[in-house]
């Protein structure tokens, strides 16, 4: 790790913002290729992502994004953010997760880093790349992270139908939670801590007109699946 810090992280972190954003997209993508092919230790991969994530969160571009309600994303910072969430993104294609389903089994140790990013910059683009990542292969062990992310977005977009309905965030969240419920119904029993947040989330989404939220609420009450 000291060599990585000296040869890569320190020089990259010292770059001007736009150059830093560009290099993060390239460097971190390569780190992920090595990590998911068992070429670097998990602790090192996490430390690298955390260091670059902290540098990103300290940037003025990130702070502007957190205050913005625009649906667009500046292409330099967009690629950096996407890569931190294991997504590819450039000006000719929408963000798309580059992990295969089998790699999702190794995601959980990265969630503290990703959760900091979600809470620090609850923007539409961050919501999109987060959902892209989690939708690759929904896992019950990821439920807490999903609910934390969704509740963070709800605080920032409490009455924003564009965010939840027009950009499909509400439907995607509900469908994902339902898939996890199908895998392990007991996770959303009425006496579980996460159920309280899910109920609050669904109530808010119903008031915003997210049809899948109403179906999800009924499914939780009656034990059926969402859909149709």
């Amino acid at each position: 790790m000291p060599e990585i810090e000296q040869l890569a992280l320190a020089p990259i972190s010292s770059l001007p913002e736009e150059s830093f954003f560009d290099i993060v997209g390239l460097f971190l993508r390569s780190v992920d290729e090595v990590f998911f092919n068992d070429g670097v230790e998990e602790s090192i991969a996490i430390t690298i992502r955390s260091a670059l994530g902290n540098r990103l969160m300290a940037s003025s571009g990130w702070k502007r994004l957190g205050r913005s309600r625009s649906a667009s994303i500046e292409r330099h910072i967009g690629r950096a953010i996407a890569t931190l969430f294991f997504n590819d993104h450039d000006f000719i294609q929408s963000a798309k997760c580059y992990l295969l389903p089998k790699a999702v089994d190794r995601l959980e140790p990265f969630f503290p880093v990703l959760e900091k990013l979600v809470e620090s910059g609850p923007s539409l683009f961050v919501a999109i790349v987060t959902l892209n990542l989690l939708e690759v292969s929904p896992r019950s062990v990821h439920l807490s992270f999903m609910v934390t992310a969704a509740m963070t977005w709800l605080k920032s977009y409490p009455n924003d139908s564009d965010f939840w309905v027009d950009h499909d965030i509400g439907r995607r969240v509900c469908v994902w939670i339902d898939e996890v419920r199908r895998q392990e119904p007991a996770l959303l029993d009425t006496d579980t801590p996460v159920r309280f947040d899910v109920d609050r989330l669904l109530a808010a989404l119903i008031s915003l007109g997210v049809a899948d939220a109403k179906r999800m609420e009924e499914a939780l009450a009656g034990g059926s699946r969402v859909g149709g």
Side-chain angles (χ1 to χ4, degrees):
M1 198 62 226
E3 288 86 353
I4 294 172
E5 173 67 33
Q6 179 182 359
L7 295 174
L9 293 182
I12 291 172
S13 296
S14 68
L15 290 168
E17 284 195 5
E18 189 172 295
S19 299
F20 168 75
F21 297 150
D22 290 341
I23 291 297
V24 166
L26 295 169
F27 177 69
L28 200 53
R29 185 72 160 81
S30 297
V31 170
D32 289 341
E33 288 181 12
V34 175
F35 169 70
F36 286 105
N37 286 287
D38 299 313
V40 66
E41 294 177 11
E42 180 182 276
S43 61
I44 290 177
I46 292 169
T47 300
I48 291 172
R49 198 172 229 88
S50 180
L52 297 176
N54 288 337
R55 170 66 178 87
L56 176 75
M57 287 186 285
S59 69
S60 59
W62 177 262
K63 293 171 184 175
R64 283 195 301 272
L65 182 66
R67 297 189 297 267
S68 172
R69 290 297 179 266
S70 173
S72 62
I73 183 77
E74 194 276 325
R75 66 185 183 92
H76 297 281
I77 196 172
R79 183 175 186 184
I81 295 169
T83 310
L84 280 159
F85 283 85
F86 303 94
N87 277 242
D88 284 325
H89 174 72
D90 58 47
F91 66 94
I92 61 173
Q93 68 173 21
S94 301
K96 181 180 180 181
C97 184
Y98 52 73
L99 296 185
L100 297 173
K102 65 180 181 180
V104 175
D105 286 330
R106 304 178 68 182
L107 274 183
E108 197 170 0
F110 293 96
F111 281 168
V113 177
L114 301 184
E115 192 169 307
K116 282 179 64 177
L117 289 161
V118 168
E119 292 178 342
S120 170
S123 65
L124 174 61
F125 187 74
V126 169
I128 289 170
V129 293
T130 300
L131 289 168
N132 289 350
L133 173 62
L134 293 176
E135 288 169 345
V136 170
S137 184
R139 307 291 172 90
S140 59
V141 293
H142 301 165
L143 177 62
S144 178
F145 174 67
M146 168 63 97
V147 173
T148 296
M151 294 303 290
T152 297
W153 302 330
L154 188 60
K155 290 177 185 176
S156 294
Y157 300 88
N159 303 302
D160 194 329
S161 61
D162 285 346
F163 179 90
W164 292 106
V165 179
D166 296 351
H167 292 290
D168 210 28
I169 302 300
R171 183 196 64 81
R172 293 173 69 180
V173 168
C174 291
V175 169
W176 191 96
I177 292 174
D178 184 61
E179 174 58 26
V180 166
R181 186 183 68 87
R182 184 189 66 80
Q183 295 174 16
E184 291 193 42
L187 285 175
L188 288 169
D189 283 348
T190 54
D191 59 350
T192 58
V194 73
R195 176 62 183 271
F196 176 72
D197 283 337
V198 169
D199 286 343
R200 288 174 56 207
L201 175 66
L202 293 177
L205 296 185
I206 289 168
S207 69
L208 286 163
V210 178
D212 286 273
K214 181 62 175 176
R215 289 195 287 267
M216 183 75 209
E217 184 182 64
E218 293 169 351
L220 284 172
S224 61
R225 287 201 65 195
V226 169

